[in-house]
Amino acid sequence: MVREGTALGSYVIEGYIASGGMGVVYRAQHRVLRRTVAIKVLQEAFARSPQVRQRFEQEAMVQANLIHPNIVPVTDFVSADGLVALVMEFVAGPSLDQVLEEEQPGPWAESNWLPMFARVVSGVAYAHTAGVVHRDLKPGNVLLDRAAGRPGIPRITDFGIAKLVSGSAPAATRAGSRLGTVPFMAPEQFRGELDVGPAADVFALGMLAW
């Protein structure tokens, strides 16, 4: 964990937000611009692995090049004092997972979920057009931006295991490996196949809607 008040490049850590498989997300502020951001810091144990660090850098690159109103943009990459981190726009709101557990458990009326879901689909379709397959779509990776009120605008995040369908970036998986979240994984993804394409995200969207 990075303590509150720690300086990381041009940013100062202000508080903890959430933890993931390899990284911890903090609220931070740019020291000059006084702009609040979210910083995902790769845990030190993983930062020592060249393969994991390469994947983390790919995540930053992939998400930084996806410019869409329903995708959280990456704005910077920081390497300082043995830590590596990607900097994202701060989303003022909970994850869809939190909302489903704490605010609105159980089935939603179609008029409530369909407009939000359509925006998630729009973001995923844009990523596919850009040659990116997310491969870990789930409620925890959809943030609801409530800066303008409820229910909030969905913003897709966490492209840590995204696959570039085209381009020269290194592959993040090898045959037989499983990456993703089991309840939302397409059969080919669960089997650890290398040829996991946009159809896997479509499967995850179906599970998300269900």
Short mmCIF file of all heavy atoms in Angstrom, two decimals, residues 124-193:
data_model
loop_
_atom_site.label_atom_id
_atom_site.label_comp_id
_atom_site.label_asym_id
_atom_site.label_seq_id
_atom_site.Cartn_x
_atom_site.Cartn_y
_atom_site.Cartn_z
N VAL A 124 -17.83 -0.79 -25.93
CA VAL A 124 -17.21 -2.05 -26.35
C VAL A 124 -17.09 -2.10 -27.87
O VAL A 124 -16.05 -2.50 -28.41
CB VAL A 124 -18.02 -3.25 -25.83
CG1 VAL A 124 -17.48 -4.56 -26.40
CG2 VAL A 124 -17.99 -3.30 -24.31
N ALA A 125 -18.14 -1.68 -28.56
CA ALA A 125 -18.10 -1.67 -30.03
C ALA A 125 -16.99 -0.77 -30.55
O ALA A 125 -16.28 -1.10 -31.51
CB ALA A 125 -19.46 -1.22 -30.58
N TYR A 126 -16.81 0.38 -29.90
CA TYR A 126 -15.74 1.29 -30.29
C TYR A 126 -14.38 0.62 -30.10
O TYR A 126 -13.50 0.71 -30.97
CB TYR A 126 -15.81 2.58 -29.49
CG TYR A 126 -14.56 3.42 -29.61
CD1 TYR A 126 -14.35 4.23 -30.73
CD2 TYR A 126 -13.57 3.38 -28.62
CE1 TYR A 126 -13.19 4.98 -30.85
CE2 TYR A 126 -12.41 4.13 -28.74
CZ TYR A 126 -12.23 4.93 -29.85
OH TYR A 126 -11.07 5.67 -29.97
N ALA A 127 -14.19 -0.04 -28.95
CA ALA A 127 -12.92 -0.73 -28.69
C ALA A 127 -12.65 -1.79 -29.75
O ALA A 127 -11.52 -1.93 -30.25
CB ALA A 127 -12.93 -1.35 -27.29
N HIS A 128 -13.68 -2.53 -30.13
CA HIS A 128 -13.51 -3.55 -31.16
C HIS A 128 -13.13 -2.92 -32.50
O HIS A 128 -12.28 -3.45 -33.22
CB HIS A 128 -14.80 -4.36 -31.32
CG HIS A 128 -15.08 -5.27 -30.16
ND1 HIS A 128 -16.23 -6.03 -30.06
CD2 HIS A 128 -14.36 -5.53 -29.03
CE1 HIS A 128 -16.20 -6.72 -28.94
NE2 HIS A 128 -15.08 -6.44 -28.29
N THR A 129 -13.74 -1.80 -32.81
CA THR A 129 -13.39 -1.09 -34.05
C THR A 129 -11.93 -0.67 -34.04
O THR A 129 -11.26 -0.64 -35.07
CB THR A 129 -14.29 0.14 -34.24
OG1 THR A 129 -15.66 -0.28 -34.30
CG2 THR A 129 -13.96 0.89 -35.52
N ALA A 130 -11.42 -0.35 -32.83
CA ALA A 130 -10.03 0.05 -32.68
C ALA A 130 -9.09 -1.15 -32.56
O ALA A 130 -7.88 -0.97 -32.37
CB ALA A 130 -9.88 0.94 -31.44
N GLY A 131 -9.64 -2.36 -32.68
CA GLY A 131 -8.81 -3.56 -32.63
C GLY A 131 -8.49 -4.06 -31.24
O GLY A 131 -7.49 -4.75 -31.04
N VAL A 132 -9.33 -3.72 -30.25
CA VAL A 132 -9.07 -4.10 -28.86
C VAL A 132 -10.23 -4.95 -28.32
O VAL A 132 -11.39 -4.55 -28.41
CB VAL A 132 -8.89 -2.86 -27.96
CG1 VAL A 132 -8.71 -3.27 -26.50
CG2 VAL A 132 -7.69 -2.03 -28.42
N VAL A 133 -9.90 -6.11 -27.75
CA VAL A 133 -10.87 -6.97 -27.07
C VAL A 133 -10.59 -6.86 -25.58
O VAL A 133 -9.48 -7.12 -25.13
CB VAL A 133 -10.76 -8.43 -27.53
CG1 VAL A 133 -11.81 -9.29 -26.83
CG2 VAL A 133 -10.92 -8.53 -29.04
N HIS A 134 -11.60 -6.47 -24.80
CA HIS A 134 -11.40 -6.23 -23.37
C HIS A 134 -11.07 -7.52 -22.61
O HIS A 134 -10.13 -7.59 -21.83
CB HIS A 134 -12.66 -5.57 -22.77
CG HIS A 134 -12.49 -5.08 -21.37
ND1 HIS A 134 -12.43 -5.94 -20.29
CD2 HIS A 134 -12.39 -3.83 -20.86
CE1 HIS A 134 -12.29 -5.23 -19.18
NE2 HIS A 134 -12.25 -3.94 -19.50
N ARG A 135 -11.89 -8.54 -22.77
CA ARG A 135 -11.72 -9.89 -22.19
C ARG A 135 -11.98 -9.98 -20.69
O ARG A 135 -11.78 -11.04 -20.10
CB ARG A 135 -10.33 -10.46 -22.51
CG ARG A 135 -10.08 -10.63 -24.00
CD ARG A 135 -8.93 -11.56 -24.26
NE ARG A 135 -7.67 -11.07 -23.73
CZ ARG A 135 -6.54 -11.76 -23.77
NH1 ARG A 135 -6.53 -12.96 -24.31
NH2 ARG A 135 -5.43 -11.26 -23.28
N ASP A 136 -12.43 -8.90 -20.06
CA ASP A 136 -12.79 -9.01 -18.64
C ASP A 136 -13.94 -8.06 -18.31
O ASP A 136 -13.92 -7.37 -17.29
CB ASP A 136 -11.58 -8.71 -17.75
CG ASP A 136 -11.77 -9.21 -16.31
OD1 ASP A 136 -12.63 -10.08 -16.10
OD2 ASP A 136 -11.07 -8.71 -15.40
N LEU A 137 -14.94 -8.04 -19.17
CA LEU A 137 -16.11 -7.21 -18.93
C LEU A 137 -16.95 -7.82 -17.82
O LEU A 137 -17.32 -8.99 -17.87
CB LEU A 137 -16.95 -7.08 -20.21
CG LEU A 137 -16.29 -6.30 -21.35
CD1 LEU A 137 -17.09 -6.49 -22.64
CD2 LEU A 137 -16.19 -4.82 -21.00
N LYS A 138 -17.25 -7.01 -16.81
CA LYS A 138 -18.04 -7.45 -15.66
C LYS A 138 -18.50 -6.21 -14.92
O LYS A 138 -17.97 -5.10 -15.16
CB LYS A 138 -17.20 -8.35 -14.75
CG LYS A 138 -15.93 -7.69 -14.23
CD LYS A 138 -15.09 -8.66 -13.42
CE LYS A 138 -13.80 -8.00 -12.92
NZ LYS A 138 -12.96 -8.94 -12.16
N PRO A 139 -19.45 -6.33 -13.99
CA PRO A 139 -19.95 -5.14 -13.28
C PRO A 139 -18.86 -4.36 -12.55
O PRO A 139 -18.91 -3.14 -12.46
CB PRO A 139 -20.97 -5.73 -12.31
CG PRO A 139 -21.46 -6.97 -12.98
CD PRO A 139 -20.25 -7.53 -13.68
N GLY A 140 -17.83 -5.06 -12.05
CA GLY A 140 -16.76 -4.38 -11.33
C GLY A 140 -15.90 -3.51 -12.21
O GLY A 140 -15.19 -2.62 -11.71
N ASN A 141 -15.94 -3.74 -13.52
CA ASN A 141 -15.14 -2.94 -14.46
C ASN A 141 -15.98 -1.92 -15.21
O ASN A 141 -15.54 -1.38 -16.24
CB ASN A 141 -14.40 -3.85 -15.44
CG ASN A 141 -13.24 -4.56 -14.78
OD1 ASN A 141 -12.73 -4.10 -13.77
ND2 ASN A 141 -12.82 -5.68 -15.36
N VAL A 142 -17.16 -1.65 -14.72
CA VAL A 142 -18.01 -0.58 -15.25
C VAL A 142 -18.26 0.41 -14.12
O VAL A 142 -18.92 0.09 -13.13
CB VAL A 142 -19.35 -1.12 -15.80
CG1 VAL A 142 -20.23 0.04 -16.28
CG2 VAL A 142 -19.12 -2.10 -16.93
N LEU A 143 -17.72 1.61 -14.25
CA LEU A 143 -17.93 2.65 -13.25
C LEU A 143 -19.10 3.53 -13.67
O LEU A 143 -19.32 3.75 -14.86
CB LEU A 143 -16.67 3.51 -13.10
CG LEU A 143 -15.37 2.76 -12.76
CD1 LEU A 143 -14.22 3.75 -12.63
CD2 LEU A 143 -15.52 1.94 -11.49
N LEU A 144 -19.85 4.01 -12.69
CA LEU A 144 -20.98 4.89 -12.99
C LEU A 144 -20.60 6.32 -12.58
O LEU A 144 -20.48 6.63 -11.40
CB LEU A 144 -22.23 4.43 -12.24
CG LEU A 144 -22.82 3.10 -12.72
CD1 LEU A 144 -24.06 2.75 -11.90
CD2 LEU A 144 -23.16 3.14 -14.20
N ASP A 145 -20.39 7.15 -13.59
CA ASP A 145 -20.00 8.54 -13.36
C ASP A 145 -21.23 9.33 -12.94
O ASP A 145 -22.14 9.56 -13.72
CB ASP A 145 -19.40 9.12 -14.64
CG ASP A 145 -18.79 10.48 -14.44
OD1 ASP A 145 -19.05 11.11 -13.39
OD2 ASP A 145 -18.06 10.94 -15.33
N ARG A 146 -21.25 9.76 -11.68
CA ARG A 146 -22.41 10.48 -11.14
C ARG A 146 -22.13 11.96 -10.94
O ARG A 146 -22.79 12.62 -10.15
CB ARG A 146 -22.84 9.83 -9.83
CG ARG A 146 -23.47 8.46 -10.06
CD ARG A 146 -23.90 7.81 -8.77
NE ARG A 146 -24.72 6.63 -9.03
CZ ARG A 146 -25.14 5.80 -8.08
NH1 ARG A 146 -24.80 6.02 -6.81
NH2 ARG A 146 -25.89 4.76 -8.40
N ALA A 147 -21.14 12.48 -11.66
CA ALA A 147 -20.84 13.91 -11.56
C ALA A 147 -22.04 14.76 -11.94
O ALA A 147 -22.24 15.86 -11.42
CB ALA A 147 -19.65 14.26 -12.44
N ALA A 148 -22.87 14.24 -12.86
CA ALA A 148 -24.05 14.98 -13.31
C ALA A 148 -25.34 14.39 -12.73
O ALA A 148 -26.44 14.69 -13.20
CB ALA A 148 -24.12 15.00 -14.83
N GLY A 149 -25.21 13.53 -11.70
CA GLY A 149 -26.39 12.96 -11.06
C GLY A 149 -26.57 11.49 -11.35
O GLY A 149 -25.81 10.86 -12.08
N ARG A 150 -27.62 10.92 -10.77
CA ARG A 150 -27.93 9.51 -10.93
C ARG A 150 -28.81 9.28 -12.16
O ARG A 150 -29.50 10.19 -12.57
CB ARG A 150 -28.65 9.00 -9.66
CG ARG A 150 -27.75 9.04 -8.42
CD ARG A 150 -28.51 8.51 -7.22
NE ARG A 150 -27.69 8.54 -6.04
CZ ARG A 150 -27.49 7.50 -5.24
NH1 ARG A 150 -28.07 6.34 -5.51
NH2 ARG A 150 -26.73 7.59 -4.18
N PRO A 151 -28.82 8.06 -12.70
CA PRO A 151 -28.15 6.85 -12.24
C PRO A 151 -26.65 6.83 -12.54
O PRO A 151 -25.93 6.00 -12.01
CB PRO A 151 -28.87 5.75 -13.00
CG PRO A 151 -29.29 6.40 -14.28
CD PRO A 151 -29.66 7.81 -13.89
N GLY A 152 -26.19 7.73 -13.40
CA GLY A 152 -24.78 7.80 -13.73
C GLY A 152 -24.48 7.30 -15.13
O GLY A 152 -25.21 6.47 -15.68
N ILE A 153 -23.41 7.82 -15.72
CA ILE A 153 -22.99 7.42 -17.06
C ILE A 153 -21.97 6.30 -16.93
O ILE A 153 -20.97 6.44 -16.23
CB ILE A 153 -22.37 8.61 -17.81
CG1 ILE A 153 -23.41 9.72 -17.98
CG2 ILE A 153 -21.82 8.17 -19.17
CD1 ILE A 153 -22.84 11.01 -18.53
N PRO A 154 -22.20 5.14 -17.58
CA PRO A 154 -21.25 4.03 -17.45
C PRO A 154 -19.94 4.32 -18.16
O PRO A 154 -19.91 4.85 -19.27
CB PRO A 154 -21.99 2.86 -18.11
CG PRO A 154 -22.94 3.50 -19.07
CD PRO A 154 -23.34 4.79 -18.44
N ARG A 155 -18.83 3.96 -17.50
CA ARG A 155 -17.49 4.14 -18.05
C ARG A 155 -16.72 2.83 -17.85
O ARG A 155 -16.52 2.38 -16.72
CB ARG A 155 -16.76 5.28 -17.33
CG ARG A 155 -17.57 6.58 -17.19
CD ARG A 155 -17.67 7.36 -18.48
NE ARG A 155 -16.36 7.81 -18.95
CZ ARG A 155 -15.72 8.88 -18.48
NH1 ARG A 155 -16.25 9.60 -17.49
NH2 ARG A 155 -14.57 9.24 -18.99
N ILE A 156 -16.30 2.23 -18.93
CA ILE A 156 -15.57 0.96 -18.88
C ILE A 156 -14.12 1.22 -18.48
O ILE A 156 -13.49 2.17 -18.97
CB ILE A 156 -15.62 0.25 -20.25
CG1 ILE A 156 -17.06 0.03 -20.68
CG2 ILE A 156 -14.86 -1.08 -20.19
CD1 ILE A 156 -17.21 -0.35 -22.14
N THR A 157 -13.59 0.37 -17.61
CA THR A 157 -12.20 0.52 -17.19
C THR A 157 -11.53 -0.84 -17.11
O THR A 157 -12.12 -1.87 -17.43
CB THR A 157 -12.12 1.25 -15.82
OG1 THR A 157 -10.76 1.59 -15.54
CG2 THR A 157 -12.70 0.39 -14.71
N ASP A 158 -10.26 -0.85 -16.70
CA ASP A 158 -9.45 -2.05 -16.46
C ASP A 158 -9.26 -2.89 -17.72
O ASP A 158 -9.88 -3.95 -17.88
CB ASP A 158 -10.05 -2.89 -15.33
CG ASP A 158 -9.02 -3.84 -14.74
OD1 ASP A 158 -7.93 -3.98 -15.33
OD2 ASP A 158 -9.29 -4.45 -13.69
N PHE A 159 -8.38 -2.43 -18.59
CA PHE A 159 -8.03 -3.17 -19.79
C PHE A 159 -6.75 -3.98 -19.57
O PHE A 159 -5.95 -4.18 -20.48
CB PHE A 159 -7.84 -2.21 -20.97
CG PHE A 159 -9.13 -1.70 -21.53
CD1 PHE A 159 -9.87 -0.72 -20.87
CD2 PHE A 159 -9.63 -2.18 -22.74
CE1 PHE A 159 -11.06 -0.23 -21.39
CE2 PHE A 159 -10.82 -1.71 -23.26
CZ PHE A 159 -11.55 -0.74 -22.59
N GLY A 160 -6.57 -4.46 -18.33
CA GLY A 160 -5.33 -5.14 -17.96
C GLY A 160 -5.07 -6.43 -18.71
O GLY A 160 -3.92 -6.83 -18.86
N ILE A 161 -6.11 -7.12 -19.17
CA ILE A 161 -5.88 -8.36 -19.95
C ILE A 161 -6.46 -8.21 -21.35
O ILE A 161 -6.77 -9.20 -22.01
CB ILE A 161 -6.46 -9.59 -19.24
CG1 ILE A 161 -7.98 -9.50 -19.09
CG2 ILE A 161 -5.80 -9.82 -17.89
CD1 ILE A 161 -8.60 -10.81 -18.61
N ALA A 162 -6.58 -6.97 -21.80
CA ALA A 162 -7.09 -6.73 -23.15
C ALA A 162 -6.17 -7.35 -24.19
O ALA A 162 -4.96 -7.49 -24.00
CB ALA A 162 -7.23 -5.23 -23.40
N LYS A 163 -6.75 -7.71 -25.32
CA LYS A 163 -5.99 -8.29 -26.42
C LYS A 163 -6.07 -7.36 -27.61
O LYS A 163 -7.16 -6.89 -27.98
CB LYS A 163 -6.56 -9.66 -26.79
CG LYS A 163 -5.87 -10.31 -28.00
CD LYS A 163 -6.52 -11.63 -28.35
CE LYS A 163 -5.86 -12.25 -29.57
NZ LYS A 163 -6.49 -13.54 -29.94
N LEU A 164 -4.92 -7.11 -28.22
CA LEU A 164 -4.89 -6.35 -29.46
C LEU A 164 -5.10 -7.32 -30.60
O LEU A 164 -4.27 -8.20 -30.84
CB LEU A 164 -3.56 -5.60 -29.61
CG LEU A 164 -3.26 -4.55 -28.54
CD1 LEU A 164 -1.93 -3.88 -28.83
CD2 LEU A 164 -4.36 -3.50 -28.50
N VAL A 165 -6.20 -7.14 -31.31
CA VAL A 165 -6.51 -8.03 -32.43
C VAL A 165 -5.55 -7.78 -33.58
O VAL A 165 -5.19 -8.67 -34.34
CB VAL A 165 -7.97 -7.83 -32.89
CG1 VAL A 165 -8.28 -8.71 -34.09
CG2 VAL A 165 -8.91 -8.18 -31.74
N SER A 166 -5.10 -6.54 -33.71
CA SER A 166 -4.14 -6.19 -34.75
C SER A 166 -3.03 -5.38 -34.13
O SER A 166 -3.12 -4.93 -33.00
CB SER A 166 -4.82 -5.37 -35.86
OG SER A 166 -5.36 -4.18 -35.33
N GLY A 167 -1.96 -5.19 -34.85
CA GLY A 167 -0.85 -4.40 -34.35
C GLY A 167 0.30 -5.28 -33.92
O GLY A 167 0.27 -6.51 -34.04
N SER A 168 1.35 -4.66 -33.37
CA SER A 168 2.57 -5.40 -33.05
C SER A 168 2.80 -5.57 -31.56
O SER A 168 3.85 -5.99 -31.13
CB SER A 168 3.78 -4.67 -33.65
OG SER A 168 3.85 -3.33 -33.16
N ALA A 169 1.81 -5.23 -30.72
CA ALA A 169 1.99 -5.37 -29.27
C ALA A 169 2.10 -6.83 -28.89
O ALA A 169 1.51 -7.71 -29.52
CB ALA A 169 0.83 -4.72 -28.53
N PRO A 170 2.87 -7.16 -27.86
CA PRO A 170 3.03 -8.55 -27.46
C PRO A 170 1.75 -9.15 -26.92
O PRO A 170 0.94 -8.47 -26.32
CB PRO A 170 4.10 -8.48 -26.36
CG PRO A 170 3.99 -7.09 -25.82
CD PRO A 170 3.60 -6.24 -26.99
N ALA A 171 1.58 -10.44 -27.12
CA ALA A 171 0.39 -11.12 -26.59
C ALA A 171 0.49 -11.23 -25.08
O ALA A 171 1.56 -11.39 -24.52
CB ALA A 171 0.28 -12.52 -27.21
N ALA A 172 -0.67 -11.16 -24.40
CA ALA A 172 -0.68 -11.20 -22.95
C ALA A 172 -0.97 -12.60 -22.42
O ALA A 172 -0.97 -12.83 -21.24
CB ALA A 172 -1.73 -10.22 -22.41
N THR A 173 -1.23 -13.56 -23.33
CA THR A 173 -1.57 -14.90 -22.88
C THR A 173 -0.79 -15.93 -23.67
O THR A 173 -0.20 -15.65 -24.71
CB THR A 173 -3.07 -15.17 -23.07
OG1 THR A 173 -3.41 -14.99 -24.45
CG2 THR A 173 -3.90 -14.24 -22.23
N ARG A 174 -0.82 -17.15 -23.18
CA ARG A 174 -0.26 -18.28 -23.90
C ARG A 174 -1.30 -19.39 -23.89
O ARG A 174 -2.22 -19.38 -23.08
CB ARG A 174 1.05 -18.74 -23.26
CG ARG A 174 0.94 -19.09 -21.79
CD ARG A 174 2.30 -19.43 -21.19
NE ARG A 174 2.22 -19.59 -19.75
CZ ARG A 174 1.81 -20.68 -19.13
NH1 ARG A 174 1.40 -21.71 -19.85
NH2 ARG A 174 1.78 -20.77 -17.82
N ALA A 175 -1.14 -20.34 -24.79
CA ALA A 175 -2.12 -21.42 -24.90
C ALA A 175 -2.27 -22.14 -23.57
O ALA A 175 -1.30 -22.44 -22.89
CB ALA A 175 -1.67 -22.41 -25.98
N GLY A 176 -3.54 -22.39 -23.19
CA GLY A 176 -3.83 -23.11 -21.96
C GLY A 176 -4.00 -22.24 -20.75
O GLY A 176 -4.42 -22.72 -19.69
N SER A 177 -3.69 -20.94 -20.84
CA SER A 177 -3.85 -20.05 -19.70
C SER A 177 -5.24 -19.46 -19.68
O SER A 177 -5.85 -19.25 -20.73
CB SER A 177 -2.81 -18.93 -19.72
OG SER A 177 -3.00 -18.09 -20.85
N ARG A 178 -5.76 -19.20 -18.49
CA ARG A 178 -7.09 -18.61 -18.34
C ARG A 178 -6.95 -17.25 -17.70
O ARG A 178 -6.42 -17.12 -16.61
CB ARG A 178 -7.98 -19.49 -17.48
CG ARG A 178 -8.31 -20.85 -18.05
CD ARG A 178 -9.15 -21.64 -17.06
NE ARG A 178 -9.41 -22.99 -17.54
CZ ARG A 178 -9.96 -23.94 -16.80
NH1 ARG A 178 -10.30 -23.68 -15.54
NH2 ARG A 178 -10.16 -25.14 -17.29
N LEU A 179 -7.45 -16.24 -18.39
CA LEU A 179 -7.47 -14.89 -17.83
C LEU A 179 -8.88 -14.35 -17.99
O LEU A 179 -9.45 -14.41 -19.08
CB LEU A 179 -6.46 -13.98 -18.55
CG LEU A 179 -4.98 -14.25 -18.28
CD1 LEU A 179 -4.12 -13.35 -19.15
CD2 LEU A 179 -4.65 -14.05 -16.81
N GLY A 180 -9.42 -13.81 -16.91
CA GLY A 180 -10.78 -13.29 -16.96
C GLY A 180 -11.48 -13.59 -15.65
O GLY A 180 -10.87 -13.97 -14.65
N THR A 181 -12.80 -13.41 -15.65
CA THR A 181 -13.62 -13.67 -14.47
C THR A 181 -14.64 -14.73 -14.85
O THR A 181 -15.46 -14.52 -15.75
CB THR A 181 -14.31 -12.37 -14.01
OG1 THR A 181 -13.30 -11.39 -13.76
CG2 THR A 181 -15.11 -12.61 -12.75
N VAL A 182 -14.59 -15.86 -14.18
CA VAL A 182 -15.28 -17.07 -14.64
C VAL A 182 -16.74 -16.87 -15.02
O VAL A 182 -17.15 -17.30 -16.10
CB VAL A 182 -15.14 -18.19 -13.58
CG1 VAL A 182 -16.02 -19.39 -13.94
CG2 VAL A 182 -13.67 -18.63 -13.50
N PRO A 183 -17.60 -16.22 -14.22
CA PRO A 183 -19.01 -16.13 -14.61
C PRO A 183 -19.26 -15.37 -15.92
O PRO A 183 -20.33 -15.49 -16.50
CB PRO A 183 -19.66 -15.38 -13.43
CG PRO A 183 -18.74 -15.61 -12.28
CD PRO A 183 -17.37 -15.63 -12.88
N PHE A 184 -18.26 -14.62 -16.39
CA PHE A 184 -18.44 -13.81 -17.59
C PHE A 184 -17.56 -14.28 -18.75
O PHE A 184 -17.51 -13.63 -19.79
CB PHE A 184 -18.12 -12.34 -17.27
CG PHE A 184 -19.00 -11.77 -16.19
CD1 PHE A 184 -18.61 -11.86 -14.86
CD2 PHE A 184 -20.22 -11.19 -16.49
CE1 PHE A 184 -19.43 -11.35 -13.85
CE2 PHE A 184 -21.05 -10.68 -15.49
CZ PHE A 184 -20.65 -10.78 -14.17
N MET A 185 -16.88 -15.41 -18.59
CA MET A 185 -15.95 -15.89 -19.60
C MET A 185 -16.65 -16.74 -20.65
O MET A 185 -17.41 -17.65 -20.33
CB MET A 185 -14.83 -16.71 -18.95
CG MET A 185 -13.86 -15.89 -18.12
SD MET A 185 -12.74 -16.92 -17.12
CE MET A 185 -11.75 -17.67 -18.42
N ALA A 186 -16.36 -16.45 -21.92
CA ALA A 186 -16.87 -17.27 -23.02
C ALA A 186 -16.19 -18.64 -22.97
O ALA A 186 -15.09 -18.78 -22.42
CB ALA A 186 -16.56 -16.58 -24.35
N PRO A 187 -16.82 -19.68 -23.54
CA PRO A 187 -16.23 -21.03 -23.50
C PRO A 187 -14.79 -21.09 -24.01
O PRO A 187 -13.94 -21.74 -23.40
CB PRO A 187 -17.19 -21.85 -24.37
CG PRO A 187 -18.49 -21.15 -24.24
CD PRO A 187 -18.16 -19.68 -24.16
N GLU A 188 -14.51 -20.40 -25.13
CA GLU A 188 -13.16 -20.46 -25.69
C GLU A 188 -12.14 -19.79 -24.77
O GLU A 188 -10.97 -20.17 -24.70
CB GLU A 188 -13.12 -19.82 -27.09
CG GLU A 188 -13.39 -18.33 -27.14
CD GLU A 188 -14.86 -17.98 -27.26
OE1 GLU A 188 -15.71 -18.83 -26.90
OE2 GLU A 188 -15.16 -16.85 -27.71
N GLN A 189 -12.61 -18.79 -24.03
CA GLN A 189 -11.73 -18.10 -23.08
C GLN A 189 -11.48 -19.01 -21.87
O GLN A 189 -10.35 -19.10 -21.38
CB GLN A 189 -12.39 -16.79 -22.66
CG GLN A 189 -11.50 -15.84 -21.88
CD GLN A 189 -12.20 -14.51 -21.61
OE1 GLN A 189 -13.35 -14.33 -22.01
NE2 GLN A 189 -11.51 -13.62 -20.94
N PHE A 190 -12.51 -19.68 -21.42
CA PHE A 190 -12.38 -20.59 -20.28
C PHE A 190 -11.44 -21.75 -20.60
O PHE A 190 -10.70 -22.22 -19.74
CB PHE A 190 -13.76 -21.12 -19.86
CG PHE A 190 -13.74 -21.94 -18.61
CD1 PHE A 190 -13.70 -21.35 -17.36
CD2 PHE A 190 -13.74 -23.33 -18.68
CE1 PHE A 190 -13.67 -22.11 -16.20
CE2 PHE A 190 -13.72 -24.10 -17.53
CZ PHE A 190 -13.68 -23.48 -16.28
N ARG A 191 -11.46 -22.18 -21.86
CA ARG A 191 -10.58 -23.28 -22.27
C ARG A 191 -9.13 -22.83 -22.45
O ARG A 191 -8.25 -23.67 -22.65
CB ARG A 191 -11.09 -23.89 -23.59
CG ARG A 191 -12.39 -24.69 -23.44
CD ARG A 191 -12.68 -25.49 -24.69
NE ARG A 191 -12.93 -24.63 -25.85
CZ ARG A 191 -14.13 -24.26 -26.26
NH1 ARG A 191 -15.22 -24.65 -25.60
NH2 ARG A 191 -14.27 -23.49 -27.32
N GLY A 192 -8.90 -21.53 -22.38
CA GLY A 192 -7.54 -21.03 -22.52
C GLY A 192 -7.05 -20.97 -23.94
O GLY A 192 -5.84 -21.01 -24.19
N GLU A 193 -7.97 -20.88 -24.90
CA GLU A 193 -7.57 -20.81 -26.30
C GLU A 193 -6.91 -19.46 -26.61
O GLU A 193 -7.25 -18.44 -26.00
CB GLU A 193 -8.79 -21.02 -27.21
CG GLU A 193 -9.41 -22.41 -27.06
CD GLU A 193 -10.64 -22.60 -27.95
OE1 GLU A 193 -10.89 -21.71 -28.79
OE2 GLU A 193 -11.33 -23.61 -27.79
#
